[in-house]
Amino acid sequence: MNISIIGSGYVGLVSGACFAELGNHVICADNDIKKIAGLKKGIIPIYEPGLEELIAGNLKNKRLKFTSSIREAVKSSEIIFIAVGTPSLGNGEADLTGVENVARVIAQNMDGYRLIVEKSTVPVETCAWIKKTIATYIKKKHKFDVVSNPEFLREGSAISDFTHPDRIVVGAESQKAGQVMTQLYQPLNRPILITNIKSAELIKHASNAFLATKISFINALSRICDKVGADVKEVAQGMGLDARIGRHFLHAGIGYGGSCFPKDLDAFITIAGNLGYDFKMLKAVRDTNQEQKEFVLQKIKEALWIIKDKTIAVLGLAFKSNTDDLRNSPSIDLIKLLLQEGAKIRAYDPRAMEKAKNILNDVIFCKDPYQASQGADCLIIATEWNEFKELDFLKLKKILQRALIVDGRNIYDPKQLKKLGFTYVGIGHGRE
Ligand code: NAD
């Protein structure tokens, strides 16, 4: 099939490259001219495992193209995915300017039937607005369908998530649109759920809100564990073995972040509010997440007594491992809190350093975990990168000014670190 994807970010690039790999002809478009110029030369603007190779292969066999002309993308393909960003406006609402803009450009450049697929995460009823917008700006009375096809991929494992999803959700009004979407995704051989459009839109927000709830639940529980001397990892394991609960998203830590959960939760709370329902439960999920960062700061304070002028090594800047995405990263939030307290920060991340340099001042960026730990009074694990799981602790002990580890992701065995002579502070491991 001929497909255009408008918006070449994490979702657009991964979807575009994967659809090309499945044998389709794909045009990835973006209004960021610099980004597109780089992509044409094979420069990938994000770090996502396997993406560079996938794009290179499909550029070579000419199944994938990049353009900064949305007009060209609309004219060339019958199926047009909207995968632009939908960031938070700051008041909780999602900024849908990009979606509306793309809908108008599609309307003005359609020269025949088009299937418009809304892939960005959007509030319920956005597809109805896209439909109205296209109907308003369309030049000739060409037929079109709008479907909702929310994306569930996770950064860091985006390619395998896209190609092996638990389910593919398609909200469609017309049988034809549902059939085309089914045909498009058929090669993945995964369950396809066809729903009405509003249900599909809600499935995405509801899923993210539910996953965020699981994380805040286990983080809240970690507070109880700390107080009574229980181990939150054991509690999570015992809960997770219950098939009704499941073991995923029950890892206590410094809180969730990223470009999706915080903004999608805000948007969902706002949508509910606008519809006359005060979603108090989700407000509590959000508050718990915020408190968790302060809780970790408190733990650091308890261990160091005075933070001012202390040197703190922070390992991990990205909001999670295997990505360079810093959007709403709890690590960045924690660093900002520590800087406010007067700490000196030495930081290292395997992939996110370049992006971090643009948003963090007064931080010393180091080439590896050992350089970051040089003379530090405390070492904080803020992102669960695999390479941090295999550090040379004897070497670290010699380098650190003080053998104190605050494990914000619970990646270490407390007993082992204590045996090596470290003071270990984890999340939900009981009092030291
Ligand atoms: P992103 O910021 O990485 O990419 C968005 C791209 O859209 C950017 O390259 C931007 O230049 C482009 N863009 C914005 N306005 C445009 C316009 N008017 N015309 C053309 N291009 C435009 O965002 P992302 O992480 O890929 O997310 C895209 C959407 O998918 C969001 O709604 C997000 O919530 C959702 N989503 C993201 C993920 C994820 O893990 N990142 C997962 C599932 C869903």
Side-chain angles (χ1 to χ4, degrees):
M1 295 188 189
N2 290 321
I3 302 170
S4 283
I5 311 232
I6 306 183
S8 300
Y10 286 89
V11 168
L13 283 178
V14 170
S15 313
C18 290
F19 278 135
E21 186 70 13
L22 291 175
N24 301 289
H25 284 100
V26 181
I27 300 181
C28 282
D30 204 287
N31 63 359
D32 183 335
I33 295 169
K34 236 171 106 185
K35 192 183 247 189
I36 292 295
L39 280 163
K40 281 183 177 170
K41 289 186 216 143
I43 303 166
I44 314 301
I46 53 168
Y47 171 70
E48 182 59 44
L51 185 60
E52 196 170 344
E53 298 83 341
L54 200 62
I55 289 182
N58 284 288
L59 273 175
K60 207 169 154 201
N61 64 29
K62 298 201 174 0
R63 283 202 298 253
L64 185 59
K65 263 174 69 178
F66 294 103
T67 180
S68 52
S69 163
I70 314 298
R71 189 171 168 270
E72 180 196 333
V74 175
K75 291 213 177 285
S76 315
S77 311
E78 205 173 86
I79 306 175
I80 302 165
F81 280 79
I82 304 178
V84 298
T86 50
S88 183
L89 272 174
N91 63 355
E93 278 177 46
D95 183 353
L96 300 174
T97 319
V99 174
E100 193 266 355
N101 185 281
V102 171
R104 260 188 297 133
V105 181
I106 292 173
Q108 286 156 352
N109 293 286
M110 275 168 62
D111 51 12
Y113 172 82
R114 291 292 181 277
L115 172 59
I116 295 108
V117 186
E118 171 43 60
K119 196 166 243 331
S120 301
T121 303
V122 290
V124 60
E125 299 189 317
T126 298
C127 281
W129 277 105
I130 294 175
K131 211 171 149 183
K132 263 189 235 166
T133 305
I134 295 176
T136 308
Y137 289 94
I138 202 163
K139 284 185 182 153
K140 286 192 187 153
K141 290 286 158 223
H142 300 298
K143 288 207 166 112
F144 67 94
D145 281 301
V146 177
V147 301
S148 164
N149 172 220
E151 182 50 57
F152 299 97
L153 64 76
R154 294 160 300 174
E155 289 171 24
S157 54
I159 292 172
S160 101
D161 287 348
F162 189 89
T163 49
H164 302 84
D166 290 336
R167 79 305 201 188
I168 294 150
V169 174
V170 175
E173 266 168 9
S174 87
Q175 214 182 356
K176 176 179 175 181
Q179 276 166 358
V180 174
M181 292 300 286
T182 305
Q183 209 183 329
L184 178 65
Y185 280 109
Q186 203 71 56
L188 295 181
N189 201 17
R190 303 298 300 158
I192 300 177
L193 178 69
I194 307 270
T195 67
N196 80 38
I197 292 179
K198 289 178 192 171
S199 302
E201 291 173 324
L202 272 175
I203 286 168
K204 176 64 192 177
H205 266 145
S207 301
N208 275 3
F210 194 79
L211 293 172
T213 303
K214 276 187 100 174
I215 298 174
S216 277
F217 183 89
I218 202 70
N219 281 337
L221 205 64
S222 76
R223 313 280 290 267
I224 308 286
C225 289
D226 255 5
K227 286 196 189 301
V228 299
D231 181 343
V232 74
K233 275 192 193 171
E234 290 175 356
V235 178
Q237 192 186 8
M239 288 171 63
L241 284 170
D242 185 329
R244 294 169 303 176
I245 297 173
R247 65 189 169 85
H248 298 290
F249 283 75
L250 284 182
H251 304 287
I254 57 174
Y256 61 75
S259 67
C260 292
F261 283 4
K263 91 165 162 65
D264 292 348
L265 211 69
D266 279 350
F268 202 27
I269 290 168
T270 308
I271 296 160
N274 292 344
L275 293 168
Y277 178 65
D278 184 4
F279 216 143
K280 288 191 190 123
M281 192 171 87
L282 293 185
K283 288 180 178 169
V285 168
R286 184 172 60 185
D287 291 347
T288 304
N289 195 55
Q290 186 52 33
E291 284 161 18
Q292 194 69 4
K293 290 171 231 173
E294 287 146 23
F295 168 60
V296 175
L297 178 70
Q298 197 53 39
K299 275 176 163 277
I300 300 167
K301 270 187 187 167
E302 279 166 21
L304 282 176
W305 184 28
I306 304 291
I307 289 185
K308 191 169 184 317
D309 293 333
K310 292 275 162 49
T311 299
I312 299 183
V314 178
L315 300 189
L317 298 166
F319 84 94
K320 63 173 187 172
S321 61
N322 287 327
T323 181
D324 61 349
D325 200 343
L326 294 168
R327 290 178 283 185
N328 289 305
S329 168
S331 169
I332 303 291
D333 290 345
L334 187 61
I335 288 174
K336 286 182 178 165
L337 290 173
L338 289 165
L339 287 170
Q340 271 169 25
E341 298 274 340
K344 294 174 190 148
I345 305 290
R346 297 172 68 81
Y348 168 72
D349 186 285
R351 293 284 175 180
M353 302 266 274
E354 284 314 308
K355 288 189 177 170
K357 284 176 190 167
N358 297 326
I359 58 168
L360 283 176
N361 300 318
D362 305 323
V363 167
I364 300 168
F365 292 98
C366 302
K367 70 172 174 27
D368 61 35
Y370 305 101
Q371 194 185 56
S373 304
Q374 203 72 48
D377 299 281
C378 171
L379 173 67
I380 301 175
I381 303 295
T383 310
E384 68 285 19
W385 284 95
N386 271 341
E387 73 168 77
F388 302 155
K389 294 177 185 162
E390 290 149 12
L391 295 177
D392 180 344
F393 291 105
L394 293 177
K395 185 171 166 186
L396 272 181
K397 223 180 136 202
K398 284 191 201 136
I399 293 171
L400 287 162
Q401 160 108 322
R402 194 176 152 188
L404 167 64
I405 292 189
V406 176
D407 183 0
R409 298 291 187 165
N410 279 352
I411 61 173
Y412 300 130
D413 175 359
K415 282 195 201 97
Q416 201 191 342
L417 284 191
K418 280 179 200 162
K419 219 161 113 188
L420 290 167
F422 283 87
T423 302
Y424 176 85
V425 179
I427 312 289
H429 287 290
R431 288 170 290 231
E432 289 299 312

